[in-house]
Amino acid sequence: MKSVAVIGASLAGLYAARALRAEGFDGRLVIVGDEHHGPYDRPPLSKGLLTGATGPDQLALADAEEIAELDAEWLLGTEATGLDTGGRAVLLDGGRRLTTDGVVLATGAAPLRLPGPAPAGAHTLRTLDDAQALRADLTRGPVRVVVIGGGFIGAEVASSCAALGHHVTVVEAAPLPLVPQLGDAMAGVCAALHADHGVTLRTGTGVARLHGEGSGGRVSGVELADGRLLPAEVVVTGIGVRPRTAWLAGSGLPLDDGVRCDAGCATPLPQVVAVGDVARVDGTRAEHWTSATEQAATAAHNLLAGRTARTHRGVPYFWSDQYGVRIQFAGRRLPGDTPRVLEGSPDDRSFLACYERDGHPTAVLALNRPRPFMRLRRTLARAAQPATT
């Protein structure tokens, strides 16, 4: 293999490029990214960047020295439009073709949007440009903010807006946010963080439409499915994402809520692997920082080996910072798993809980208990099926 193209210049793409070089690949390495920015860290976008505690220049995932050591060609501000597997080429905007022996798909995901046109003041949050546009609206003075979606991104945005002194309402269609991830009891504890900090949480109703001031004017309110109208000068929609696979239509790759891969991140097509938010690995698509970084090493190894020589069986892990509380979760919780508080108290918003099934631990959740959490996380990792080579 003399050349590899990494399609996606964010976290997963950067880690894949690092892993390729670490595996000894010394051929041509091309990294294609549709944003004009180099690789940057996305978690601060909904937190420190919005509040002003973190500047855009602090988000870079690699410094100039490492970029030089990667010895890669960077095609930033360039969109991949197709994959010609027979011709071993990636099609780029402007009719260009990038011929390559191997491909790493790392195009990530795009935020879901409400139907209809978005008036000024209505935002989604996925990219650095998104975050800077939202911050510009939030620094105009105290405003009424409605966050649509009570998941981790929505909760983090609500927390940041409340810290800036805005009046914040979170709208969640489900009876309670985060139930699929945490279960009813623990989701209720995390939902209570909103009320603790003066944020209104409205659950059990969706959004009918956004109201704007005249044709093309700024957003003025959010009409709920039950008919209520919430006044708003700023609206942030965080209702999930979809993997960016439309450009792969007709490529022969199996597309099913992402690019379907085996446990080694390898697709059925020779010399094509996928990592990060776009990859559906062994039936599961994980949208978390840790999954993207860990998958990259496995994918790079298998791409260079030309077969699935290694699989990844890591324990899923994610974290979220809300209202000064660090929420950490690791494991594979299933409905019916019972959470047991091991230390601390949910009432104090500081505790460690272990989910159990038939007396065996399946997952661990912590609020502001990082050290004991990490100990239990390591225990879960040791119990997980080890990687094979």
Side-chain angles (χ1 to χ4, degrees), residues 349-374:
R349 313 299 188 242
S350 177
F351 66 93
L352 177 73
C354 181
Y355 293 83
E356 297 176 341
R357 186 186 319 141
D358 299 327
H360 299 286
T362 59
V364 56
L365 169 70
L367 270 64
N368 280 348
R369 299 271 171 153
R371 289 186 178 180
F373 171 84
M374 292 306 295

Side-chain angles (χ1 to χ4, degrees), residues 245-305:
T245 59
W247 69 283
L248 293 168
S251 66
L253 286 170
L255 306 178
D256 176 19
D257 185 36
V259 179
R260 280 169 37 200
C261 311
D262 64 15
C265 303
T267 75
L269 295 184
Q271 314 306 327
V272 179
V273 297
V275 294
D277 293 356
V278 77
R280 187 171 183 83
V281 179
D282 204 20
T284 301
R285 193 172 63 82
E287 299 172 4
H288 303 298
W289 199 96
T290 306
S291 299
T293 60
E294 292 178 348
Q295 289 170 0
T298 300
H301 181 87
N302 292 334
L303 180 65
L304 296 178

Side-chain angles (χ1 to χ4, degrees), residues 108-112 125-126 153 238-243 257 277 285 287:
L112 296 174
L125 181 57
R126 181 71 180 180
I153 290 295
I239 54 176
V241 299
R242 64 176 178 276
D257 185 36
D277 293 356
R285 193 172 63 82
E287 299 172 4

Side-chain angles (χ1 to χ4, degrees), residues 129-141:
D129 291 344
D130 292 340
Q132 290 179 312
L134 175 56
R135 174 157 172 77
D137 268 353
L138 294 174
T139 54
R140 296 186 300 112

Side-chain angles (χ1 to χ4, degrees), residues 298-364:
T298 300
H301 181 87
N302 292 334
L303 180 65
L304 296 178
R307 62 185 179 87
T308 300
R310 179 182 297 171
T311 59
H312 173 65
R313 300 292 184 185
V315 173
Y317 165 66
F318 61 82
W319 77 92
S320 179
D321 294 318
Q322 304 172 24
Y323 306 105
V325 174
R326 168 60 63 96
I327 301 171
Q328 294 171 285
F329 182 91
R332 294 181 174 86
R333 186 199 74 84
L334 294 177
D337 291 359
T338 303
R340 180 166 61 94
V341 176
L342 303 180
E343 62 177 69
S345 169
D347 292 338
D348 297 331
R349 313 299 188 242
S350 177
F351 66 93
L352 177 73
C354 181
Y355 293 83
E356 297 176 341
R357 186 186 319 141
D358 299 327
H360 299 286
T362 59
V364 56

